[in-house]
C-alpha cells in the first residue's frame, strides 16, 4: 500500500492489520491448498466430485494459477478489503495497492492498482542483484526473473 497520511509512528498502516485480514485470508484459502482456474475442467471435477475434502481454491474464469494472475487476484482482493473492512476505516488517502507474488526467491508476478486515477496499472519489475536498479515496464503483465 502507498499513500500520504501516516499515523504518529509514521506508518500508513500497522502491519498487524494486514496480517490479521489479508494474511488470514491467504492462510484460510490458499496456504497448503491447490489453486486452479474455474476454466480448468479436470481440476474442477477432481476437487468438486472426487476429492472435495482436500483444501482447494477455484479462481474465477479468466484467471490462471500463475504468479502474475495470483498477484492480480490478490491485488483486487486487497482493494475490496481496504474499502469494505472496518479494520481499514481509519486509513485515508491510499494512493496505490501493489502485490508481488513470489514463486521462488527473486521470481515473482506483480500487479499494481493506481488509486489516484481510476486506471489499473500493471507493472513488471526486475531486480538486479547487487545494485539498486529497478526496471519498470508499464501495461505489461508477465514473468519476472531476478538476474544474478
Amino acid at each position: 500500500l502507498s499513500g500520504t497520511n501516516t499515523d504518529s509512528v509514521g506508518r500508513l498502516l500497522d502491519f498487524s492489520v494486514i496480517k490479521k485480514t489479508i494474511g488470514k485470508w491467504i492462510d484460510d484459502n490458499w496456504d497448503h491448498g491447490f489453486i486452479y482456474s474455474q476454466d480448468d475442467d479436470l481440476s474442477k471435477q477432481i476437487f468438486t466430485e472426487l476429492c472435495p475434502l482436500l483444501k482447494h481454491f477455484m479462481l474465477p474464469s479468466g484467471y490462471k494459477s500463475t504468479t502474475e494472475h495470483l498477484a492480480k487476484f490478490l491485488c483486487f482482493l486487497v482493494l475490496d478489503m481496504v474499502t469494505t473492512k472496518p479494520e481499514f476505516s481509519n486509513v485515508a488517502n491510499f494512493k496505490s495497492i501493489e502485490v508481488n507474488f513470489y514463486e521462488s526467491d527473486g521470481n515473482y508476478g506483480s500487479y499494481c492498482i493506481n488509486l489516484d486515477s481510476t486506471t489499473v496499472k500493471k507493472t513488471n519489475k526486475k531486480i538486479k542483484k547487487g545494485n539498486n536498479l529497478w526496471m519498470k515496464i508499464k501495461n505489461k503483465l508477465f514473468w519476472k526473473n531476478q538476474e544474478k
Side-chain angles (χ1 to χ4, degrees), residues 76-112:
F76 282 102
L77 178 76
V78 170
L79 175 63
D80 180 63
M81 286 186 175
V82 299
T83 56
T84 61
K85 292 227 176 257
E87 294 91 330
F88 295 96
S89 63
N90 62 336
V91 180
N93 296 327
F94 283 120
K95 297 292 182 190
S96 67
I97 298 169
E98 182 172 354
V99 172
N100 295 321
F101 195 95
Y102 283 79
E103 182 175 68
S104 62
D105 187 29
N107 299 312
Y108 62 93
S110 181
Y111 199 87
C112 180

Side-chain angles (χ1 to χ4, degrees), residues 36-90:
Y36 61 98
S37 173
Q38 181 179 350
D39 302 327
D40 182 348
D41 292 332
L42 180 59
S43 292
K44 192 167 30 173
Q45 181 182 11
I46 289 170
F47 288 103
T48 58
E49 296 174 18
L50 303 175
C51 304
L53 299 180
L54 291 178
K55 186 173 181 180
H56 64 280
F57 184 86
M58 185 169 52
L59 294 164
S61 181
Y63 283 87
K64 307 266 186 257
S65 57
T66 63
T67 57
E68 296 82 5
H69 282 233
L70 294 174
K72 180 180 178 180
F73 180 87
L74 197 54
C75 202
F76 282 102
L77 178 76
V78 170
L79 175 63
D80 180 63
M81 286 186 175
V82 299
T83 56
T84 61
K85 292 227 176 257
E87 294 91 330
F88 295 96
S89 63
N90 62 336

